[in-house]
Amino acid sequence: MSELFEKIATGVIEGNLDEVPGLVQSALDDGLDPTKILENGLVVGMNEVGKRFKLGSMFVPEVLRSARTMHAGQELLRPLLAEAGADLGGKILLGTVQGDLHDIGKNLVGMMCEGAGFEVIDLGFNLEPEKFTEAIKEHQPTIIGMSALLTTTMRAMGHTIKAIEEAGLRDKIKVMVGGAPVDADFAERIGADGYGHNAASGAELAKKLAGMS
Ligand code: B1M
């Protein structure tokens, strides 16, 4: 079993787009838990990609290929993770803030929230504050979740909360934030309602904010 997880992780690191979906499907056919396939296979691989990118032994084109491979694997798991929780919570709007193109972590948070029973509306990445305010008016969510992976884009979370306040929408929603450079202190400073350290704790937090736990 751990051998299959290792193959999936290696496939993500090597950007093996042709093989990883098949490996994920084999793991599912073997009856393995989709959350375990995600956490012990795909995420392990992407974490290693992160380390190698930092050390300079992987470069942007390779990282992008790994990201696409991870995404292809994720897509097979998405409906199964969602099934676990079928529509218990309200709506969550999720997006990566202005200036930031990183969306892998945000996508994982979305999948976990679907699994926890929320309807997730993914607004995408590089979102100006106005995109969030417009979407709040349109979809009337319970929660909005913002992700940032760059120290330079974290501040856009604060700008977005200000825009939501100025639009008179702040008391209608809860705000959660996350992403590698973000922490609980920062979340409090910018006036968010909570901080999720990873996808699983993000989904737990969402349940708490929605009064489900
Ligand atoms: Co870039 N990148 N990147 N990158 N990238 C980082 C973030 C970096 C740490 C790499 C490094 O130098 N060590 C660094 C940021 C440094 C900093 O600001 N301190 C960096 C940089 C510098 C850049 C560029 C500036 C590089 C350049 O062009 N010179 C550039 C910026 C582009 C931009 O956004 N404007 C850039 C570009 C890219 C790619 C496009 C090539 C690609 C993104 C592809 C994509 O997302 N579609 C990319 C990638 C893949 C990474 C790394 C390698 C991996 C990120 C990732 O997906 N991790 C990353 C290095 C690393 O993280 N070690 C790096 C896996 C993912 C599962 O984890 O995203 O942390 P993460 O999400 C977690 C938690 O943070 C949390 O849950 C998730 C699941 O557990 N979480 C939430 C996230 N959002 C949440 C929201 C919540 C709750 C929890 O509630 C709403």
Side-chain angles (χ1 to χ4, degrees), residues 53 96 100-106 124-126 147-150:
F53 187 45
T96 304
D100 202 320
L101 307 178
H102 297 84
D103 67 353
I104 297 171
K106 181 258 302 165
F125 50 83
N126 189 17
S147 181
L149 261 286
L150 300 171

